Amino acid sequence: METPFTFGKIVFGLNFANRTDEINQLITNFKSGINCILLSPRRWGKSSLVLKATEKIKQKNKKVRVVHIDLYNIRSEEEFYKTYTESVLKATSSKLEEAISHLKTFLKHWSPKISFSADDQNEYKIGLEWQELKKEPDEIIDLPENIAASKKLKIIICIDEFQNIGFFGDPLGFQKKLRSHWQKHQSAVYCLYGSKRHMLIDVFASSSMPFYKFGDLIFLDKISEDEWIKYIVRRFRSTGKTISGKNAALIARLVECHPYYVQQLAQLCWFRSQPEASEQIVDKSFESLMLQLSLLFQGMVGSLPNTQINFLKALIDKVEQLSSKETIAKYKLGTSAGVLQVKKALVNKEIIDDSGEKIFILDPVFSAWLKRFYFQE
């Protein structure tokens, strides 16, 4: 029997949980030509959300084309242009001949090389002469807009791991270049997101950066406990198994409504249920999840200096005045200036987040593991 819960990959169909308001907001923005920037901690389902919204809009409008680009392995401006060109051509061309026609029509200053796959002649790679391209990349950057305007299409460009442009040779210059073109586009709209929330905030929320006020800045909230309860109960029932609302709520609460972990913990509970998920099964499944990740968590802690570990202990103990003399002395945090440096280091490592109102450990299972196994007395 196929498991009713999905994690660690893009979620489709019935496995997708809620996010109705966010989907509608994205669809409205795309239709209106408003660029979107999605911000949330990693593994909160941004990619699945974007896919769900774009699939819905494609179903209703046959003139919409969606380009999905992942910058995870892209580390240079040259690689970006190649991936960008290939992705736009493949999303807007039904046949190889059409892609070649687009190259000739819209890249007049270039003679790109096309290499084919030995197995599939419709699978191809674009080769661009970098020394020439870097002098004048305008036609490449404007490619989706020009194709869309020519064919009377609406093109949605979705770029995941956008923060990786920070690794390029001249990231600020590259951002200025993109912004100067993209802000003029009328038929192409952009949705930018990634897994390094603090880096994306630096790119989009700082008034000194080129992408400041580029579009609608959407901070994703967690899916509510009530929505998770309905989802978990429904997914259990769809396979002939059962779980009470109380125990479904316990699953959501134990992992603080974290989308990835709710799905993972629910699946562990589902495997153990014959056919009903009891409170004992939920507790045992959560302990199993912590132990399953124990080696990973030990490695994380082992890489941290003592002051950062002590800072995490203060968070586990729910200390609010982290820079007070009493806290610094009790947890051996050094100085008040040192506390700020420790906090910044942990934010940069994506271990904690500082929302301005509250500092918290991003990974709820790591937090529970620290409390139950690492810091236990």
Side-chain angles (χ1 to χ4, degrees), residues 326-346:
E326 294 79 7
T327 300
I328 290 172
K330 179 179 179 181
Y331 292 95
K332 299 182 175 63
L333 296 176
T335 64
S336 56
V339 170
L340 293 176
Q341 292 177 347
V342 167
K343 182 179 75 172
K344 183 178 180 181
L346 289 170

Side-chain angles (χ1 to χ4, degrees), residues 203-219:
V203 171
F204 294 109
S206 173
S207 59
S208 63
M209 297 298 283
F211 272 95
Y212 180 62
K213 291 189 175 179
F214 176 67
D216 188 10
L217 205 57
I218 303 172
F219 289 86

Side-chain angles (χ1 to χ4, degrees), residues 9 30 82 171 185 213 215 259 310 331 339 372:
K9 58 183 179 181
F30 293 154
K82 289 180 180 179
H185 292 178
K213 291 189 175 179
N310 294 342
Y331 292 95
V339 170
R372 188 177 301 190

Side-chain angles (χ1 to χ4, degrees), residues 180-227:
S180 68
H181 286 266
W182 286 356
Q183 68 184 358
K184 299 172 186 174
H185 292 178
Q186 300 297 312
S187 300
V189 63
Y190 296 85
C191 183
L192 312 174
Y193 51 104
S195 61
K196 302 289 185 181
R197 182 170 177 264
H198 72 281
M199 291 178 68
L200 287 170
I201 288 176
D202 289 342
V203 171
F204 294 109
S206 173
S207 59
S208 63
M209 297 298 283
F211 272 95
Y212 180 62
K213 291 189 175 179
F214 176 67
D216 188 10
L217 205 57
I218 303 172
F219 289 86
L220 290 186
D221 289 327
K222 291 180 178 178
I223 297 172
S224 71
E225 184 178 302
D226 286 343
E227 291 296 335

Side-chain angles (χ1 to χ4, degrees), residues 26 38 46-54 68 158 191 193:
L26 286 177
L38 291 178
K46 291 183 289 296
S47 298
S48 297
L49 171 63
V50 170
L51 183 64
K52 184 78 170 181
T54 53
H68 290 284
C158 305
C191 183
Y193 51 104

Side-chain angles (χ1 to χ4, degrees), residues 89-236:
L89 288 174
K90 289 175 181 177
T92 57
S93 310
S94 57
K95 297 179 181 179
L96 176 60
E97 292 78 8
E98 189 176 10
I100 294 173
S101 175
H102 286 161
L103 284 173
K104 292 178 179 179
T105 303
F106 301 110
L107 301 184
K108 296 177 181 177
H109 291 88
W110 314 107
S111 297
K113 298 177 181 177
I114 302 178
S115 57
F116 302 95
S117 167
D119 301 323
D120 185 355
Q121 290 296 298
N122 286 318
E123 185 63 31
Y124 54 87
K125 294 285 185 182
I126 303 296
L128 300 169
E129 180 53 53
W130 173 235
Q131 293 305 317
E132 293 299 318
L133 172 60
K134 67 181 180 181
K135 296 177 186 176
E136 191 181 348
D138 297 18
E139 286 186 342
I140 298 288
I141 300 173
D142 289 332
L143 184 61
E145 173 68 9
N146 291 334
I147 291 176
S150 172
K151 302 180 71 172
K152 294 182 171 53
L153 299 172
K154 171 72 76 173
I155 297 180
I156 305 170
I157 312 288
C158 305
I159 304 182
D160 197 358
E161 303 297 355
F162 188 75
Q163 75 281 341
N164 279 5
I165 62 174
F167 299 121
F168 294 1
D170 179 15
L172 193 60
F174 180 66
Q175 289 177 49
K176 289 178 180 178
K177 205 180 299 178
L178 289 183
R179 174 68 189 258
S180 68
H181 286 266
W182 286 356
Q183 68 184 358
K184 299 172 186 174
H185 292 178
Q186 300 297 312
S187 300
V189 63
Y190 296 85
C191 183
L192 312 174
Y193 51 104
S195 61
K196 302 289 185 181
R197 182 170 177 264
H198 72 281
M199 291 178 68
L200 287 170
I201 288 176
D202 289 342
V203 171
F204 294 109
S206 173
S207 59
S208 63
M209 297 298 283
F211 272 95
Y212 180 62
K213 291 189 175 179
F214 176 67
D216 188 10
L217 205 57
I218 303 172
F219 289 86
L220 290 186
D221 289 327
K222 291 180 178 178
I223 297 172
S224 71
E225 184 178 302
D226 286 343
E227 291 296 335
W228 278 125
I229 292 170
K230 290 185 285 188
Y231 174 78
I232 294 168
V233 170
R234 183 175 70 249
R235 297 304 289 148
F236 263 78

